[in-house]
Amino acid sequence: MDLVIRNASLADGRHGIDIAIEGERIAAVGPQLPQRGLREIDAGGDLVSPPFVDAHFHMDATLSYGLPRVNESGTLLEGIALWGELKPQLAQEALIERAMEYCDWAVARGLLAIRTHVDICDDRLLAVEALLEVKRRVASYIDLQLVAFPQDGLLRSPGAFENLKRAIAMGVDVVGGIPHFERTMAQGAESVRLLCEFAAGKGLMVDMHCDETDDPLSRHIETLAYETQRLGMQGRVTGSHLTSMHSMDNYYVSKLIPLIAESGVAAIANPLINITLQGRHDTYPKRRGMTRVPELLAAGVPVAFGHDCVMDPWYGLGSGDMLEVAHMGLHVAQMTGQAAMRQCFLAVTETPARILGLQGYGIVPGASADLVLLDAGGPVEAIRLRAARRLVLRRGKVLSEAPPARASLNLPGRPQSVDFRLTRKE
Ligand code: FE2
């Protein structure tokens, strides 16, 4: 074997597991494997996970914070206005450079697959060209999936549908939308129908920004689920955000969630962004705004957590750390039960991998040797500590290494250092 990792814990709760890697693939997984490696790594009981996956991001805007000015109010609408100011000034090389820098951060965080929306409302499609170039450049270390996103509205923005079709023809993977931003509810529903029909005709996946509002009557997810079923697109459609569900009437939701489950539509919440951008018109009590994650999960709907934004017109924070995303999601959804905390880890690993349709993902024989060794004993501890990525491997090759978090102490009669670990096992 080229590499054997010894004594790892896995996110499913197994401990003392060895992982043998031959070339670019995982050859064997199990306790005390007899295979010997040219190189051997002792995980020391720490968690080995498949890479983090971000199912919802905006790479065309990332790291543009402060350009051309900062978002003074911190609201979604000022963010959209600010992006509109920045767009005409975007230079392709600068955009590529910012995206490449973010991809460096992502690798160091063990984030090796990203679905990014790309704004297609600029007739030059400059961001599309730039992100297709980034996709080519990072292909050996990050799976980048692009979504054609009509940020200013498919029907509201002249030429948007034509631009979207051009973007798909250029190689963008997924059809996006933003029905709640169209002029009327009826036009929102119409945009969902048009986009789903277009995607069905091309055999493409769909991922729409859907109902990113606190308006409980924003019900485009209902139309999205209906169109998915009508067009036989089960398993290929995702509703992103779905924040209006937070504010909907419980009786209506009791009908809606089974319809979403039945249609095979997946959901993506963006906890860091939802908790900061929603509820802005409220005084007190203030709504959290994030969609109903535990209830969707209980109904069998796949739910992933996305980062959405890092240092852009909408959000001035973040660093590509999907454990920070899971940490916020866990808190906002009050998912503090043991099983629920583990689901939050899956929401930034296995679940988005399924939503993106990634091949060869997971720690099983035959899968790609893409792994992250974390400075934590299990998934809950990883979330609690936003654990350091001791090693990040892609196709069997080490891409990034980081020291575990330790602090030295100078206290009378106390240990000389702390590692913030209560126990090494979960
Ligand atoms: Fe988004």
Side-chain angles (χ1 to χ4, degrees):
M1 294 291 126
D2 292 315
L3 172 65
V4 178
I5 300 173
R6 302 279 180 200
N7 190 20
S9 295
L10 302 184
D12 61 13
R14 284 181 287 164
H15 298 286
I17 300 295
D18 295 348
I19 302 161
I21 294 166
E22 177 82 339
E24 297 192 344
R25 307 227 153 248
I26 295 173
V29 179
Q32 293 167 346
L33 291 179
Q35 289 92 332
R36 295 277 150 229
L38 292 173
R39 183 180 176 196
E40 301 230 345
I41 294 171
D42 180 13
D46 278 356
L47 176 65
V48 173
S49 168
F52 295 103
V53 179
D54 185 358
H56 187 111
F57 194 61
H58 294 264
M59 201 172 277
D60 49 359
T62 197
L63 308 195
S64 68
Y65 185 71
L67 298 175
R69 59 181 178 86
V70 295
N71 182 336
E72 289 296 341
S73 64
T75 59
L76 172 62
L77 291 180
E78 187 177 342
I80 292 175
L82 189 46
W83 178 238
E85 288 171 38
L86 176 60
K87 248 194 285 191
Q89 301 175 25
L90 282 180
Q92 204 159 31
E93 259 318 304
L95 200 156
I96 291 172
E97 200 37 57
R98 284 198 295 271
M100 291 300 295
E101 186 175 357
Y102 183 76
C103 288
D104 297 341
W105 295 12
V107 167
R109 296 293 196 197
L111 169 56
L112 301 186
I114 301 172
R115 173 182 277 183
T116 175
H117 295 253
V118 51
D119 188 353
I120 52 83
C121 285
D122 170 13
D123 290 339
R124 300 170 298 167
L125 294 184
L126 186 142
V128 173
E129 278 179 7
L131 286 195
L132 284 168
E133 173 61 20
V134 171
K135 180 176 172 163
R136 276 189 290 276
R137 289 193 199 177
V138 304
S140 66
Y141 55 93
I142 290 179
D143 292 308
L144 196 57
Q145 196 174 75
L146 304 190
V147 186
F149 175 44
Q151 169 84 69
D152 301 331
L154 184 82
L155 302 172
R156 189 169 166 179
S157 170
F161 205 180
E162 282 314 305
N163 287 351
L164 184 140
K165 289 174 183 170
R166 277 168 55 214
I168 294 293
M170 286 162 70
V172 170
D173 309 277
V174 180
V175 174
I178 186 163
H180 58 277
F181 199 69
E182 304 293 349
R183 285 194 176 86
T184 64
M185 290 292 178
Q187 287 220 315
E190 174 72 354
S191 76
V192 172
R193 183 181 67 79
L194 289 170
L195 289 163
C196 286
E197 284 179 353
F198 173 71
K202 296 266 180 198
L204 297 170
M205 290 189 284
V206 171
D207 186 342
M208 287 190 197
H209 283 65
C210 197
D211 305 323
E212 189 183 2
T213 158
D214 296 318
D215 174 5
L217 295 178
S218 186
R219 295 175 170 186
H220 298 297
I221 178 58
E222 181 186 76
T223 310
L224 187 62
Y226 170 77
E227 292 296 341
T228 300
Q229 204 154 37
R230 180 177 73 85
L231 297 163
M233 297 177 77
Q234 289 91 340
R236 288 194 282 137
V237 176
T238 300
S240 277
H241 288 293
L242 308 179
T243 52
S244 72
M245 274 179 76
H246 187 94
S247 299
M248 282 174 184
D249 170 68
N250 286 336
Y251 188 88
Y252 174 69
V253 171
S254 73
K255 177 194 172 199
L256 176 65
I257 289 184
L259 285 178
I260 297 172
E262 191 183 298
S263 65
V265 169
I268 298 170
N270 296 292
L272 293 164
I273 306 310
N274 301 151
I275 197 66
T276 46
L277 292 185
Q278 302 311 131
R280 286 287 181 130
H281 294 199
D282 296 352
T283 53
Y284 289 93
K286 277 184 195 286
R287 285 169 285 181
R288 298 166 191 227
M290 193 167 79
T291 196
R292 303 191 187 201
V293 176
E295 293 78 10
L296 286 163
L297 286 168
V301 177
V303 183
F305 290 149
H307 208 316
D308 202 4
C309 301
V310 171
M311 303 197 77
D312 67 11
W314 296 273
Y315 187 62
L317 303 165
S319 66
D321 185 352
M322 294 309 292
L323 287 171
E324 187 184 355
V325 173
H327 190 266
M328 181 59 76
L330 183 157
H331 284 78
V332 176
Q334 300 181 329
M335 291 175 67
T336 47
Q338 287 301 307
M341 289 197 284
R342 289 169 190 276
Q343 280 179 315
C344 290
F345 189 82
L346 296 179
V348 293
T349 51
E350 283 180 25
T351 308
R354 276 211 315 279
I355 292 173
L356 267 65
L358 295 182
Q359 302 294 312
Y361 182 89
I363 302 186
V364 288
S368 298
D370 302 348
L371 306 169
V372 183
L373 171 59
L374 290 140
D375 181 26
V380 176
E381 192 165 66
I383 292 174
R384 178 174 69 85
L385 298 175
R386 272 79 83 219
R389 282 66 164 172
R390 292 176 51 192
L391 279 180
V392 178
L393 270 81
R394 166 94 167 177
R395 309 291 190 256
K397 232 179 72 192
V398 175
L399 295 187
S400 173
E401 292 183 63
R406 302 284 180 269
S408 59
L409 290 178
N410 183 16
L411 295 172
R414 298 303 304 155
Q416 292 185 325
S417 71
V418 286
D419 64 4
F420 313 97
R421 308 270 290 268
L422 194 58
T423 166
R424 298 190 70 84
K425 298 235 185 301
E426 279 178 23

